[in-house]
């Protein structure tokens, strides 16, 4: 991206709390399963905007099993445990999804337990939430684009920061991870609020 990209100011950020103070409304706590669910939706968003298919790995399958559905912490952890176990056994892609579904929800059809919208609809939904909760000129938005649309890993983004600013790569990578964590927290609560608003509007 252009030199004025917000990520090029990251080397001057001393603590993650400084990022939160400037760009967010304080720390938000989410569980590991909520992070996985949020990452899946961000993958859908990035795939549609970036036009690139991500590998059909564990995160995608876990997300497909959780999308647009309210799960308890125990149920979410069970889904993650089952998918990761089957992935280790060699299951991949749709086969991994179908086998995981059979284990987690035996005898239940997909259509009856998961309200799957078109990916393009979910991508548009995530984009609308991002506009609400992530400031356009923030490093979190820049990291989101690079991670999910451009398919760059934290190390790649860190190298980009190093090239433009001279910041040591590991220090840059740490700051990219900070941005990812904040992005996931902000997006999780933003998505949750928007879904609750949708439900309220439909009930009215």
């Amino acid at each position: 991206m252009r030199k004025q990209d917000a990520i090029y100011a990251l080397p001057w950020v001393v603590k993650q709390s400084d990022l939160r103070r400037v760009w967010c409304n304080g720390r938000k706590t989410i569980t590991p399963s909520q992070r996985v669910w949020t990452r899946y939706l961000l993958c859908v968003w990035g795939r549609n905007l970036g036009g690139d298919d991500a590998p059909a790995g564990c995160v995608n399958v876990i997300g497909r099993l959780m999308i647009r559905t309210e799960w308890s912490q125990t149920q979410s952890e069970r889904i993650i445990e089952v998918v990761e176990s089957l992935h280790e056994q060699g299951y991949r892609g749709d086969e991994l999804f179908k086998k995981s579904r059979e284990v987690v929800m035996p005898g239940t059809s997909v259509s009856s337990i998961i309200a799957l919208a078109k990916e393009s609809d979910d991508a548009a939904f995530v984009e609308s939430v991002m506009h609400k909760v992530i400031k356009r000129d923030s490093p979190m938005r820049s990291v989101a684009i690079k991670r999910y649309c451009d398919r760059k890993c934290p190390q790649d983004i860190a190298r980009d920061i190093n090239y433009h600013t001279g910041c040591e790569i590991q220090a840059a990578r740490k700051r990219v991870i900070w941005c990812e964590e904040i992005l996931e927290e902000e997006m999780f609560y933003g998505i949750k609020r928007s879904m609750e608003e949708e439900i309220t509007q439909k009930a009215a």
Side-chain angles (χ1 to χ4, degrees), residues 90-158:
Y91 290 94
R92 297 291 185 273
D94 282 339
E95 187 182 25
L96 175 60
F97 174 67
K98 291 173 184 176
K99 186 66 177 177
S100 299
R101 193 187 72 228
E102 289 170 7
V103 175
V104 175
M105 297 157 283
T108 310
S109 70
V110 158
S111 59
S112 65
I113 53 94
I114 304 175
L116 278 174
K118 292 180 180 178
E119 278 206 347
S120 57
D121 293 338
D122 284 320
F125 173 72
V126 173
E127 174 72 6
S128 69
V129 172
M130 189 169 294
H131 277 299
K132 293 176 186 174
V133 303
I134 307 294
K135 295 177 183 177
R136 182 170 292 278
D137 57 346
S138 79
M140 274 62 75
R141 180 181 288 268
S142 181
V143 166
I145 292 169
K146 289 179 183 294
R147 282 288 281 129
Y148 295 99
C149 299
D150 299 342
R151 302 295 176 194
K152 291 184 177 180
C153 69
Q155 193 75 2
D156 291 334
I157 303 172

Side-chain angles (χ1 to χ4, degrees), residues 8 11 29 113 127 146 161 186 196:
Y8 301 137
T29 302
I113 53 94
E127 174 72 6
K146 289 179 183 294
I161 295 171
E186 293 290 319
E196 288 169 353

Side-chain angles (χ1 to χ4, degrees), residues 1 4 13 19 35 54 94 96 114 119 128 132 173 179 185-186 203:
M1 297 180 104
Q4 63 265 33
V13 177
L19 275 173
R35 284 194 187 279
D94 282 339
L96 175 60
I114 304 175
E119 278 206 347
S128 69
K132 293 176 186 174
R173 188 180 187 280
C179 287
E185 292 157 8
E186 293 290 319

Side-chain angles (χ1 to χ4, degrees), residues 58 80-92 96:
C58 285
I80 292 171
E81 178 185 324
V82 167
V83 174
E84 289 181 344
S85 173
L86 290 170
H87 189 267
E88 288 177 3
Q89 293 174 40
Y91 290 94
R92 297 291 185 273
L96 175 60

Side-chain angles (χ1 to χ4, degrees), residues 172-190:
R173 188 180 187 280
K174 180 168 68 173
R175 285 155 177 76
V176 171
I177 298 299
W178 289 349
C179 287
E180 281 195 288
E181 290 174 353
I182 294 170
L183 171 71
E184 291 161 3
E185 292 157 8
E186 293 290 319
M187 287 299 294
F188 172 78
Y189 284 102

